[in-house]
Amino acid sequence: MTSQKEPQGESSTLTKVTGPSSWSRVSCPCCISSHIEPLVLIQLAESVQPITKQWIMSMISAPVKAGGAQLLVHPGEDMKGDMIVVAAPRCTLLRGTEDLGLCKTYQDGNMTAFSFDDRDNFCNIDDMQKFLTLAERQYIVKYELDSMRAMEDQRIPGIPTPKGKLKARVSILQKLEKAGVIRNVTPLHDQKLLTALGKQWYSQKSLWGQPLDSIHAYFGGTIAYYFSFLDYYTLSLFPPAILGLFITFFLPSANFSSGNKSNGEPTALKDDDDQPSVSSYMVQAVFSMLWSTIFMELWKRRSSALSYRWGTFNLAEQFQEPRPGFHGELGTNPVTGRLEPLFPDWKRRLRMGLVSVPVVGVFLGLVVMGMAGFYFCERLVSNWHKGSGSYFTVPLLYIPSIAHIVYTNVLGNIYRNVALQLTESENHREESSFDYHHTTKVLVFTFFNNFAVLFHIAFFKEDMPLLRKRLASLLIVTQVVNQCTEVVVPFLVDRFLTSADRNLKEDDPEVDHLQAQGSLPAFPGLFAEYIELLVQFGYLSLFSCVYPLTAPLLLLNNLTEIRTDAYKLCKLFNKPFSAPVANMGVWQLAFEVLSFISVVSNCWLLLLSPRVKELTQEAGLSSSQVLVIAVIVEHVLIMVKMILAFMIPDEPDWVRIKREQIEYHSMQALKKQRIKSSRVDDKLPPKAKMGE
């Protein structure tokens, strides 16, 4: 390699520490470059011996055929240090792009699935910093590190057995992490790019708009899709918020208490000439059903457009290497023919049926116990308030709701850790399958934990004042807790705990900058953020007709949520690896399920509204007739929802045409390859064919 040059454009500010003479060498002529971009930092335990560090570096730089990652490595300050800096040569990045199924701009200007053999016909192919985003380059490095496998049974130098024993086809990176040799693997920040992104993002004065393309380029698809959905969801809250404010302050509100049951018998509603012909709660319920459907259909269109723009609508995972946590007996994959760990599907299903399902059932039982305790305390406090007749005991009426909210939050945090361990024990091969089953477990519990009490109050007790009070308590407590955790805590952490790391100057040793990045806590992921949005969406779509101020409160919360989430991501945590994704995955399905349930929920809440009860009583309808009518109306509304979903395509026409063009070109390329292969076979002499 020649002497190091200063990076240009998007290049990292950490290149100064990594002189070319210290980097491992590459044999491919096209990968030799005067500029090497550090992408990933591997932090080792302080007790790791130099011989172990040397072995790790040799495996990372070894060819893929030898079980390595074929990456570039640098020892950091020296061989005795506790860090390894990793970069990627050009060919490794290009082959990783093909393995992941990313689409890139072809010479005709269209997005096309990248092919390594056809690489010269893609735009910016000679400049990896333009061809791939920073997040994509860093994820490819992580993908190659995860793919490192031991080719035979061996012992890791410098580590005593049994920790140092490495079996054939076992993930090297996961083994080193379990043995405590590797503490952390972190993508490196580019401080210049991060500062510029912060000015565009959380530091801007306007309340609206996010630099989604810049977020995707720096943090990757998973992060970009979350903020895109949060941005779209917050914008979509304006119509229900305006309607909620209008209903609350300009329309007379129906008195739910008059329609409640007293001593087991319904009480007749009083005639009121001033009551509007259409109940405000009926308007809110019908609007919520239509809004939730249109919201999800338009989001799917936006999501498909983003997947094309970001080149991720052709991803492939099924035939990739198993995820690092996957284990089993060594064998030949019947589909790919590769030698890899195999795990019978019946064993996985057995673990799911005999372990996962019962444990989830136990936690659902704890939810029921908490709900029973809430009702007991609610009855106790209510009787006490009635007995005292004092205004000072009014605040006590909210204590059971607040206590139950705290109980459900604590139980939810415990369950998330249990759900992760259960999914690990199920031993899923693909990362997407692991995420799907893990998320599904959490979603089932979350739905039951957050909405079971509300459904019971609404449809079994038919106590609308209690439902309104409970929903108001949930929203107000959640707002207060969120503002503390999302605004106050990050500010205090940034001001008093991480300030020492940010006091580094640009001319300080680059090793200090690397260590400062490694000292930040790991990013906790987006799981809790998606759960928060899902619960919000449930409150709004399922029960907002009871409490019309739901949407305005959520809108205020989310306007600060966007900025605080961005601030925390840029300032308080290590940069996370972000896999290329084509959509929100199972989270999108969860929002669609809630959207469907909202039709049923709002339909039956309509049945409980005072105006509908008054109309049915005036018409002399029996309870069985009202039930039949309600079922018919429910099915009609479901049909309307399905018609709306059918009328709004999941993807714009231009995205559909582009996708079909890619599929057509892929078929044509495969056909040409088969014709070429058959012609080569025809030219071979008979003896050569027999030898094959």
Side-chain angles (χ1 to χ4, degrees):
M1 293 185 184
T2 59
S3 61
Q4 183 82 6
K5 295 181 180 179
E6 287 297 318
Q8 303 293 329
E10 190 187 302
S11 56
S12 173
T13 59
L14 297 171
T15 318
K16 292 182 289 184
V17 74
T18 53
S21 59
S22 301
W23 284 97
S24 58
R25 298 185 177 275
V26 292
S27 57
C28 180
C30 68
C31 294
I32 298 176
S33 173
S34 59
H35 163 58
I36 299 176
E37 179 191 26
L39 294 172
V40 173
L41 174 67
I42 299 177
Q43 293 177 283
L44 306 176
E46 296 180 358
S47 59
V48 171
Q49 300 180 19
I51 188 174
T52 306
K53 181 176 179 179
Q54 182 63 48
W55 180 84
I56 296 172
M57 293 176 60
S58 66
M59 290 304 303
I60 295 175
S61 60
V64 176
K65 293 182 179 179
Q70 204 162 338
L71 298 169
L72 299 173
V73 290
H74 189 282
E77 190 174 10
D78 52 47
M79 285 304 299
K80 295 181 180 180
D82 61 350
M83 66 178 65
I84 298 174
V85 185
V86 185
R90 177 176 178 269
C91 287
T92 300
L93 290 174
L94 294 180
R95 292 191 183 279
T97 305
E98 183 180 40
D99 290 343
L100 294 176
L102 295 176
C103 294
K104 292 297 173 181
T105 307
Y106 205 63
Q107 60 184 5
D108 60 2
N110 292 320
M111 298 292 287
T112 305
F114 179 75
S115 171
F116 184 82
D117 294 333
D118 193 29
R119 58 188 180 276
D120 293 332
N121 290 320
F122 285 83
C123 299
N124 300 317
I125 194 64
D126 294 325
D127 189 348
M128 289 296 99
Q129 294 184 355
K130 292 182 179 179
F131 182 72
L132 295 168
T133 67
L134 176 61
E136 288 171 343
R137 298 194 298 272
Q138 290 175 329
Y139 183 78
I140 289 173
V141 170
K142 180 65 163 57
Y143 170 76
E144 298 297 340
L145 290 173
D146 287 338
S147 300
M148 291 192 302
R149 306 279 171 177
M151 303 307 293
E152 58 184 12
D153 292 349
Q154 57 183 293
R155 190 178 70 84
I156 302 174
I159 302 178
T161 54
K163 282 188 176 182
K165 187 177 181 180
L166 190 62
K167 295 184 178 180
R169 299 304 301 173
V170 168
S171 170
I172 295 177
L173 184 67
Q174 187 187 33
K175 177 65 177 180
L176 292 171
E177 288 176 338
K178 285 186 175 181
V181 177
I182 292 180
R183 290 186 291 135
N184 198 15
V185 180
T186 310
L188 290 170
H189 273 299
D190 186 314
Q191 294 301 331
K192 291 182 179 179
L193 286 178
L194 186 61
T195 302
L197 177 60
K199 291 180 180 179
Q200 287 181 278
W201 199 0
Y202 57 82
S203 297
Q204 64 175 342
K205 295 181 180 179
S206 61
L207 291 176
W208 207 254
Q210 295 188 82
L212 294 178
D213 289 332
S214 299
I215 297 170
H216 174 263
Y218 191 85
F219 284 107
T222 307
I223 304 293
Y225 264 102
Y226 166 73
F227 280 99
S228 177
F229 181 77
L230 178 57
D231 183 77
Y232 170 75
Y233 173 53
T234 305
L235 177 63
S236 301
L237 284 175
F238 274 97
I242 294 172
L243 178 63
L245 291 173
F246 180 77
I247 288 175
T248 302
F249 297 107
F250 296 100
L251 286 182
S253 150
N255 184 10
F256 269 117
S257 61
S258 60
N260 291 340
K261 291 183 178 180
S262 177
N263 299 323
E265 295 294 335
T267 304
L269 289 169
K270 296 181 180 179
D271 294 331
D272 188 357
D273 296 335
D274 295 331
Q275 195 172 14
S277 59
V278 179
S279 171
S280 58
Y281 297 94
M282 295 173 63
V283 174
Q284 180 74 42
V286 173
F287 179 84
S288 296
M289 288 184 285
L290 298 177
W291 175 84
S292 61
T293 301
I294 296 174
F295 166 78
M296 285 309 304
E297 294 304 317
L298 293 181
W299 162 252
K300 286 190 282 188
R301 290 174 62 85
R302 175 171 175 161
S303 177
S304 63
L306 289 175
S307 68
Y308 176 81
R309 192 162 86 194
W310 295 336
T312 57
F313 62 104
N314 193 47
L315 299 178
E317 186 187 20
Q318 186 176 0
F319 305 119
Q320 293 179 7
E321 286 283 330
R323 69 182 188 88
F326 180 71
H327 56 84
E329 296 183 3
L330 195 63
T332 303
N333 188 311
V335 179
T336 63
R338 292 196 295 251
L339 192 67
E340 64 180 46
L342 300 178
F343 189 77
D345 189 57
W346 66 268
K347 283 188 178 181
R348 182 179 300 109
R349 293 180 181 275
L350 194 65
R351 292 181 180 182
M352 292 170 64
L354 298 182
V355 180
S356 298
V357 173
V359 172
V360 173
V362 169
F363 274 88
L364 296 182
L366 293 175
V367 173
V368 175
M369 289 177 58
M371 187 167 59
F374 162 69
Y375 286 133
F376 175 78
C377 294
E378 182 80 20
R379 190 181 309 111
L380 187 66
V381 173
S382 179
N383 292 335
W384 187 20
H385 171 65
K386 290 179 181 178
S388 65
S390 172
Y391 288 104
F392 295 102
T393 59
V394 172
L396 297 178
L397 296 175
Y398 288 90
I399 290 180
S401 293
I402 295 173
H404 186 251
I405 292 170
V406 173
Y407 173 81
T408 55
N409 287 334
V410 172
L411 190 64
N413 291 331
I414 296 173
Y415 176 79
R416 289 188 193 110
N417 295 326
V418 173
L420 181 61
Q421 295 176 5
L422 290 175
T423 312
E424 287 281 3
S425 68
E426 292 167 5
N427 197 26
H428 297 277
R429 183 185 185 276
E430 290 86 19
E431 196 70 41
S432 61
S433 177
F434 177 88
D435 293 339
Y436 176 83
H437 285 85
H438 177 218
T439 306
T440 301
K441 290 183 183 66
V442 177
L443 288 179
V444 170
F445 176 82
T446 299
F447 182 84
F448 204 78
N449 195 30
N450 287 278
F451 302 123
V453 172
L454 298 178
F455 275 108
H456 189 270
I457 294 173
F459 303 120
F460 290 92
K461 299 186 70 174
E462 297 185 11
D463 191 344
M464 295 301 112
L466 178 59
L467 178 60
R468 189 188 304 112
K469 183 175 66 176
R470 172 68 177 179
L471 191 58
S473 299
L474 283 169
L475 290 170
I476 294 171
V477 171
T478 302
Q479 290 274 34
V480 173
V481 172
N482 280 350
Q483 292 305 313
C484 289
T485 57
E486 302 283 351
V487 179
V488 179
V489 173
F491 173 78
L492 295 177
V493 170
D494 185 47
R495 179 68 178 84
F496 297 106
L497 299 183
T498 63
S499 58
D501 298 331
R502 293 188 288 107
N503 286 334
L504 291 173
K505 299 179 180 179
E506 189 174 351
D507 57 352
D508 285 338
E510 292 301 322
V511 173
D512 294 342
H513 286 273
L514 291 173
Q515 291 175 343
Q517 286 199 42
S519 65
L520 291 173
F523 181 65
L526 297 171
F527 213 91
E529 308 297 337
Y530 271 122
I531 287 290
E532 180 185 342
L533 292 182
L534 188 69
V535 172
Q536 281 189 14
F537 185 74
Y539 292 154
L540 179 60
S541 60
L542 300 176
F543 304 106
S544 63
C545 63
V546 177
Y547 190 63
L549 288 178
T550 299
L553 290 174
L554 295 180
L555 178 60
L556 291 175
N557 178 80
N558 287 1
L559 286 175
T560 59
E561 180 89 9
I562 294 175
R563 300 298 180 85
T564 53
D565 282 353
Y567 183 83
K568 289 189 299 182
L569 184 63
C570 294
K571 289 285 189 178
L572 304 185
F573 298 106
N574 268 331
K575 184 181 180 184
F577 287 104
S578 183
V581 291
N583 49 50
M584 295 195 307
V586 69
W587 294 107
Q588 182 167 305
L589 177 62
F591 279 92
E592 289 188 74
V593 170
L594 272 185
S595 175
F596 180 84
I597 296 175
S598 71
V599 176
V600 181
S601 173
N602 283 283
C603 180
W604 289 97
L605 285 174
L606 275 175
L607 180 64
L608 298 175
S609 68
R611 174 60 66 184
V612 172
K613 283 191 172 184
E614 181 182 7
L615 293 175
T616 56
Q617 289 175 2
E618 290 176 354
L621 297 175
S622 64
S623 58
S624 59
Q625 290 174 323
V626 173
L627 182 62
V628 171
I629 293 174
V631 172
I632 294 174
V633 172
E634 175 193 279
H635 283 69
V636 170
L637 291 174
I638 291 175
M639 184 64 67
V640 171
K641 175 181 173 62
M642 295 175 65
I643 293 173
L644 275 175
F646 176 77
M647 291 175 59
I648 305 175
D650 289 351
E651 57 184 13
D653 288 340
W654 66 271
V655 175
R656 177 184 56 80
I657 293 172
K658 295 292 186 182
R659 177 175 51 79
E660 292 175 352
Q661 286 177 347
I662 289 179
E663 293 174 357
Y664 174 76
H665 290 315
S666 299
M667 291 175 60
Q668 293 297 109
L670 182 61
K671 187 184 297 184
K672 290 180 181 179
Q673 186 176 1
R674 287 177 177 174
I675 294 174
K676 183 178 179 180
S677 178
S678 62
R679 287 177 180 175
V680 172
D681 290 341
D682 292 339
K683 292 180 181 180
L684 291 175
K687 290 184 178 180
K689 293 181 181 181
M690 292 177 63
E692 293 179 357

